Structures are given as C-alpha cells and as structure tokens.
Amino acid sequence: MILEMKVPSPGESITEVEIAAWLVQDGDYVEKDQAIAEVDSDKATLELPAEESGIITLKAEEGDAVAVGEVVCLIDTSAEKPSGASKAAAPKEEVKETPKEEKKAPQPVQAKETYASGVASPAAKKILAEKGMEAGAVKGTGKDGRITKEDAVQAVPSMGTPTGGKRGESRSKLSMLRRKVAERLVSVKNETAMLTTFNEVDMSPIFELRNQHKESFKSKHGVGLGFMSFFTLAVVRALELYPTVNSMIDGKEMITYDFCDISIAVSGPKGLMVPVIRNAENLTFRGVEAEVKRLAIRAREGEITVNEMTGGTFTITNGGVFGSMLSTPIINPPQSAILGMHNIVERPIVRNGEIVAAPIMYLALSYDHRIIDGKESVGFLVAIKEALENPVELLMDGNVMKALEL
C-alpha cells in the first residue's frame, strides 16, 4: 500500500511551510514516528514524523514552499525492512551530453582612439566628482569616445582596488521564518507610531541580593537566580500600574488584558525566537527562572512549538548578553510595547552627594504612541526602575527568604 504523506497544519492561520531539510534520502526505509524532515513555518521550525513504516519516496525538494495539505512524500508500507543499514536509492547514471559547438558572438568593433577619448563633458565631470570617480574609470560612448552625462550617471564606483586577497561572495536563501520576521519588522515600522524612551537603573541592590542568595537558591531549586526573574516581575508590577501598556489595537478597538503573558527574545539556531511565559503575574522568582530556562533550552534545540511562541502581551529583549550598550528595540506585533535590557557597566553616579562607581544598565522602552501616551510610557519605565532599585520592598514584600522560597 502506498501512503501519501501530506503537510499537517502546524498552527492556526498558517497555510504554507517550507522544506528546510530532509533528514532521510529518497529510497530509505523509515520507521513510524521517525523524524523525516524539518519544515519552516513563518513562526517556528518543526519536525515532520513518518506516519507509517516503509520505503520513502520524496516528492519535494529542500527549499520548496508547499501548502498545508500538499503531498510531500510517499511511503510504501508493504515494503519489508531491509537487513542492515537503511536502503538508499541507487545512484542515477549521469547522462553526459555532447556539447554543441557554440556560436561565436560577433566581436565589437574597437573604436579608434582620438584626442577626445576619455574626455568628460562639464556635466559629466561634476557627476563624476560627486561620485569620487576619475574619468579614466569610465568608458565614454559619445563622439570619438567622449564621456557624456549619461555615461557618468550610469557609472558605478569601484568597490576598492583588489589587493590579492580573497574577494568571493556567497548567496543563500532566507528561511521562511527569517522572511516572515523581516516582513513583520518592516510592517511595524510602517504601521505603528513607534517611539522609544530611555532610563538607567542602578543594579547594586540586585547584585547584592544575588551574591547573598544565588548559591542557596540554585541548590534548592535547581536553577540560577538570574536577572530575568527580577525584570519579569518588575514588568508585571508596572503592567498592573499602567494597563494601557498591556493593550493592543484591533481595528477601531483597544483590547486590554488582565493577565501578563511575557514574551522573551532568545537566540535560536534559526534566528531570533520569542517564546512566551504564560500568566507571569502568578509566578514566583523560582517559577520565572524555571520557565525561562525551559523555554530557552527548547528554542535553542529547535524543539519550540508554535503555541509556545504566540499570544504574548509584552516583550522583554536582552541585548546586553551580546554586549549592547543601548538600542531602540522594535515592537513585537500585535503587542504595543517592548522593553530592551542592555549590558551592565560600572559608571560614575552621584549617590548621597558623592560620585561613586555603580553597576548601571540602560533601559529602553519602545511603544506604540497611537494608544500609549508619553506620560504612561515614562511612568511605566520609571516603575520598572523603582522596582529594580528597591526589589526587597517592591518585588518581595519586604521578605527576601519567603520571596525566594528559601
């Protein structure tokens, strides 16, 4: 019996996927539930398992875009499993064609060099000067080889004089996920009134808490006490104070959520991925750290699902892990705001009238000005700053041991 394997729907609203890689070869014997391909949707990379055991015949190439429900391979379920290694298809003989004698193209007639060859007209001289080009680098098409204005306009400056080193280039097709990310980022810039506001945070209190309790926290809970739990809980507190930031535009309506699904940007093998911490308002420090670790591992190992990356109400991105000092993060649509964390650097600040060195992080909040006013955006970011600079009172209710469950 020949089984037709069709592309299953990886999630709501997804109508097309791309064959990222075949994990088997045409003619191989595959086992039921064996991963036979990796497919890219516009939201995630997923594995395609074999529906039955048998000999597989591939019907799509790597890089092909196929519609959901389209047949991508056949499995001959009546075939017996070969002994030893999987049976590969016999290589096809290459048919070599006898090259036909190429018709020689007519050689251009070389123009006779004259005193006017390579001389630029006044208009051409001006254009070449603006481009930083010499007249000798341009082939004139005017009378007697003169360089016309049109020649100067079409002239392309050289990319530099070769010095004997490598000057190659390569091209690769963008994955469906990367193309979709590109489209979404451009649409955000074009369709939202995005604005960014900045502030700075003295991380000294958090440094002290982590130094005092990180060993006992990790020993008891099996996860580290990182910065993400402090930032996530500070964001939850700020969203409760400024619910408009936890809102989205839907046509002519604004939807405001009474829960906090916090998206966290992580770097995966296929590019940036944004898994979601569900109902972060109900989580403790331990709960946030455990969920961040779980989602980050799944994203980096390519096991994240579409459901785990959809439905966030606010995003936190940490460019500081890569050394970023300051940035203007782009909103993750259809959300209305995103918080950018950056690197922590010892900087001089004034404390109690004296200049001291302190670990400072710059924060950036990008928001959609169509529904979030300046007062709300600044107040929201200040609320985060206050919570991070006074975590014991504002994030732990004055009881560190209880908050950290130690």
Side-chain angles (χ1 to χ4, degrees), residues 15 79 94 114 123 142 159 161 222 227 271 280 284 293 333 337 352 385:
T15 59
E94 291 186 8
T114 70
M159 293 179 66
T161 303
F227 296 115
T284 61
K293 181 179 179 181
N352 298 324
K385 171 184 171 69

Side-chain angles (χ1 to χ4, degrees), residues 152-163:
V153 169
Q154 295 182 359
V156 178
S158 169
M159 293 179 66
T161 303
T163 58

